[in-house]
Amino acid sequence: MGDAQVLASFARDEVAGHSRRLHVEADVLLVDVLEVLALRLTPRTVLVRRDLSEEARAFWPELERALAASGSVCLDECSLLGVPVALQVVGLRLSEWDLWGDDIDDAFAVLRSIATGDASGPVGGG
């Protein structure tokens, strides 16, 4: 698959393949199989990482376009609860995340639930 296809599939919560640089493992979108670009929390709620390497950052605008095309909007920039969620789900400390989704109440409820340990992690359908 091409990069754009992987990003679009991830954004639509469809089974995503991989490209030379992008890979989806469970509900985690990775760049070069090492750097987390995004986390799917539910089929319609995604955390997008802000503090990326320069190489990985090149994928950010295209991911945002793919998420927008799937009906999502950025609900919260530098979401404070993104940090504890990323720590629990992928073990990332000191990271920054934007919260994307199509329903602000549902997205924050999911984020709070995972951050406080009421949920075990991503529950996406992809």
Side-chain angles (χ1 to χ4, degrees), residues 65-95:
R65 282 191 295 276
L67 287 166
S70 75
S72 292
V73 295
C74 184
L75 301 169
D76 190 28
E77 292 182 356
C78 293
S79 184
L80 293 177
L81 292 177
V83 176
V85 169
L87 181 59
Q88 288 183 45
V89 176
V90 291
L92 279 177
R93 297 177 182 268
L94 304 174
S95 53

Side-chain angles (χ1 to χ4, degrees), residues 39-111:
L39 301 172
R40 175 167 309 288
L41 304 180
T42 71
R44 301 298 307 148
T45 307
V46 175
L47 283 174
V48 177
R49 190 168 173 200
R50 296 180 60 92
D51 59 326
L52 297 163
S53 68
E54 190 172 322
E55 288 182 356
R57 180 102 173 130
F59 292 104
W60 204 46
E62 194 167 351
L63 175 59
E64 287 188 324
R65 282 191 295 276
L67 287 166
S70 75
S72 292
V73 295
C74 184
L75 301 169
D76 190 28
E77 292 182 356
C78 293
S79 184
L80 293 177
L81 292 177
V83 176
V85 169
L87 181 59
Q88 288 183 45
V89 176
V90 291
L92 279 177
R93 297 177 182 268
L94 304 174
S95 53
E96 293 181 5
W97 301 86
D98 289 348
L99 179 64
W100 282 73
D102 60 0
D103 184 296
I104 194 166
D105 294 327
D106 287 347
F108 276 108
V110 167
L111 198 60

